[in-house]
């Protein structure tokens, strides 16, 4: 079975496709078509809360600049199989010139894998680079077999960054250095809990004792076994990468069963204000990695708006508090415009992929360049790193929560707003 791009190349000599239709190159005045996939429904839907705001702003900005873009949006429904299915629809039916995809390996990986197989350029973000890159390899357990991709490119931070941020935050609170790990059986959980690239070897080297009860299934309704194990090990720190509803279940059950750690640093679940607000007052001083805030010192290459202005625009348009994916989804579309300007021939996927690889762009989330900086050789071609800091959610007197940056050792240009405090 040949790919879409091979089919196009094979018909180039005649200039016709099956049925006598013209080749799907970009006609003069035709829009550049972007496909976009994200989890707009299901347990990961909080990641896509700002999508409509970003896409509406993107279309307004490009139209004002005299650029002709169309965005075809698809919902992965938080399901990897659905993500792959809609990616194929965008490629075969909608004939997109560039695929964009965001938010967790369950969405980014199947879309990127489909694009790589079909030789369609793809930009992805909002998944740590290890579960994105390693998770797509034919044999994730055999590093010698890992190969770079030709069409799939990713920008975000890595597990080395989140581990550094979490341990930097923990060092600010006096604890017994005993850690309970909550790692689900999914792309993120398997990577974060991995004995080679994940938390275990780094925590061991840093003098932390990790209690890992094994991989649990997402949407688990009873965490009593984990809670009892953490209590038995006298864990004063909890970490992991949980989907929002699972952390709500765990935290409520922990309170009910008398388990009260001094620190809880949880990836994914604690990124969103609504997830913390769902916990009532018990969300105070929970901590998480922080990828983007209104205080980040970056501006949009597309609109020249600062991080603060974009966040303010979201709140004004929706009535809701800013959320971290705003910055990265916005940057995804910034890079798309920059790439398509430089690609020259929008219908040529090889030229678009080459333009992605040559990117050097200052975006709302910082400088983006696929230059291999601070990356192992096997991933250098496909990964662009972004800065990461850490923060705590603080209950406001008037209700609701503020996210306060408490560690910036890995990105000193991003200002802190306070120090870590124990949960109690």
């Amino acid at each position: 079975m040949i790919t879409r791009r091979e089919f196009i190349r094979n018909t180039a000599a005649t200039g016709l496709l099956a049925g006598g239709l013209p080749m799907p190159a970009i006609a003069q005045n035709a829009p550049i078509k972007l496909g976009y996939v994200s989890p707009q429904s299901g347990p990961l839907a909080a990641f896509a809360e700002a999508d409509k705001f970003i896409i509406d702003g993107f279309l307004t900005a490009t139209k004002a600049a005299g650029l002709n873009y169309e965005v075809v949006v698809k919902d992965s429904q938080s399901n990897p199989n659905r993500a792959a299915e809609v990616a194929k629809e965008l490629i075969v039916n909608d004939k997109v010139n560039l695929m964009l995809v965001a938010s967790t390996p369950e969405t980014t990986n199947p879309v990127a894998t489909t694009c790589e197989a079909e030789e369609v350029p793809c930009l992805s973000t909002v998944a740590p680079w290890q579960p994105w890159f390693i998770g797509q390899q034919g044999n994730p357990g055999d590093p010698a077999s890992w190969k770079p991709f030709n069409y799939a490119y990713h920008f975000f931070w890595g597990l080395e960054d989140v581990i550094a941020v979490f341990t930097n935050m923990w060092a600010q609170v006096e604890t017994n250095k005993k850690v309970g790990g909550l790692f689900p059986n999914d792309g993120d959980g398997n990577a974060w809990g991995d004995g080679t690239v994940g938390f275990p070897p780094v925590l061991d080297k840093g003098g932390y004792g990790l209690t890992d009860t094994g991989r649990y299934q997402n949407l688990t309704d009873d965490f009593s076994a984990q809670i009892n194990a953490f209590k038995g090990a006298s864990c004063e720190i909890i970490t992991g990468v949980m989907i929002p509803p699972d952390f709500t279940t765990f935290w409520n059950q922990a309170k009910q069963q008398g388990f009260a750690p001094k620190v809880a640093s949880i990836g994914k679940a604690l990124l969103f204000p609504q997830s913390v607000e769902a916990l009532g007052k018990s969300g105070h001083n929970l901590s998480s990695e922080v990828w983007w805030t209104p205080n980040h010192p970056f501006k949009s290459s597309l609109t020249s708006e600062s991080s603060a202005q974009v966040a303010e625009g979201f709140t004004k348009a929706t009535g809701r508090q800013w959320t971290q994916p705003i910055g990265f989804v916005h940057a995804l579309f910034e890079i798309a415009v920059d790439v398509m300007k430089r690609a020259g021939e929008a219908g040529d996927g090889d030229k678009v992929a080459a333009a992605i690889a040559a990117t050097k762009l200052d975006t709302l989330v910082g400088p983006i360049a696929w230059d291999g900086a601070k990356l192992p050789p096997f991933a250098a071609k496909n990964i662009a790193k972004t800065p990461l800091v850490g923060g705590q959610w603080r209950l406001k007197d008037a209700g609701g929560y503020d996210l306060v940056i408490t560690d910036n050792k890995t990105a000193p240009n991003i200002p802190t707003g306070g120090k870590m405090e124990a949960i109690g």
Side-chain angles (χ1 to χ4, degrees), residues 41-398:
S41 61
L44 300 173
F47 281 91
E49 180 187 4
D51 283 359
K52 185 179 185 304
F53 167 76
I54 297 298
I55 293 169
D56 286 351
F58 167 79
L59 292 173
T60 298
T62 50
K63 184 177 180 180
L67 303 174
N68 191 4
Y69 277 87
E70 178 182 347
V71 181
V72 185
V73 180
K74 297 285 186 178
D75 179 10
S76 74
Q77 301 174 1
S78 301
N79 184 300
N81 293 330
R82 175 66 179 170
E85 179 183 327
V86 297
K88 195 67 177 283
E89 289 175 4
L90 288 166
I91 293 168
V92 175
N93 299 336
D94 296 292
K95 298 179 174 59
V96 298
N97 305 112
L98 173 62
M99 186 78 74
L100 309 179
V101 56
S103 302
T104 80
E106 280 61 53
T107 297
T108 60
N109 289 20
V111 172
T113 297
T114 300
C115 288
E116 187 69 16
E118 295 291 328
E119 299 183 356
V120 172
C122 177
L123 276 169
S124 61
T125 191
V126 188
W129 74 258
Q130 287 93 338
W132 180 86
F133 183 89
I134 299 171
Q136 293 185 76
Q137 297 297 319
N139 185 353
D142 179 16
S145 69
W146 297 348
K147 297 179 180 179
F149 308 121
N150 294 316
Y151 296 90
Y153 290 83
H154 188 75
F155 65 101
F156 210 52
W157 42 265
L159 297 184
E160 68 278 14
D161 304 305
V162 72
I163 295 170
V165 164
F166 279 11
T167 53
N168 288 341
M169 289 196 294
W170 301 347
Q172 298 180 39
V173 179
E174 186 175 343
T175 69
N176 61 7
K177 301 187 79 170
K178 294 184 178 180
V179 182
L182 291 160
F183 305 119
N185 184 24
D186 63 15
D188 274 329
N190 290 326
W192 287 47
D194 185 81
T196 302
V197 301
F199 273 68
V202 183
L203 295 187
D204 182 63
K205 187 176 180 180
Y208 290 91
L210 176 65
T211 298
D212 181 355
T213 57
R215 307 298 159 260
Y216 64 87
Q217 296 303 312
N218 283 321
L219 299 178
T220 290
D221 59 9
D222 186 359
F223 286 93
S224 296
Q226 289 88 345
I227 293 167
N228 288 331
F230 300 157
K231 289 168 68 175
S234 301
C235 294
E236 293 185 346
I237 302 170
I238 298 300
T239 195
V241 55
M242 309 180 78
I243 60 175
D246 282 358
F247 182 76
T248 299
T249 300
F250 167 81
W251 198 239
N252 287 335
Q253 291 177 358
K255 294 293 183 184
Q256 294 164 5
Q257 297 176 35
F259 176 55
K262 292 183 178 181
V263 178
S265 299
I266 304 294
K268 193 179 286 187
L270 297 181
L271 298 171
F272 313 108
Q274 64 267 37
S275 299
V276 182
E277 289 166 0
L279 300 170
K281 293 184 179 180
S282 67
H284 183 59
N285 280 340
L286 295 176
S287 51
S288 178
E289 78 277 19
V290 179
W291 342 319
W292 180 85
T293 72
N295 294 322
H296 275 50
F298 309 123
K299 67 179 183 179
S300 166
S301 63
L302 187 61
T303 67
S304 296
E305 292 176 294
S306 67
S307 293
Q309 288 172 320
V310 173
E312 182 182 0
F314 174 76
T315 298
K316 185 177 180 179
T318 66
R320 299 192 297 272
Q321 188 173 347
W322 63 272
T323 183
Q324 292 194 49
I326 290 172
F328 278 83
V329 176
H330 186 100
L332 197 60
F333 284 89
E334 287 181 69
I335 299 167
V337 170
D338 178 69
V339 164
M340 298 310 290
K341 281 182 179 179
R342 290 182 289 107
E345 202 172 330
D348 190 319
D350 291 331
K351 289 183 178 179
V352 174
I356 296 173
T359 297
K360 293 187 186 303
L361 185 68
D362 291 334
T363 75
L364 199 65
V365 298
I368 301 295
W370 279 270
D371 56 7
K374 300 180 181 178
L375 282 161
F378 58 79
K381 174 182 175 181
N382 301 112
I383 308 296
K385 291 257 289 191
T386 58
L388 187 69
V389 293
Q392 274 189 307
W393 290 98
R394 300 273 164 80
L395 187 63
K396 297 185 288 188
D397 292 339

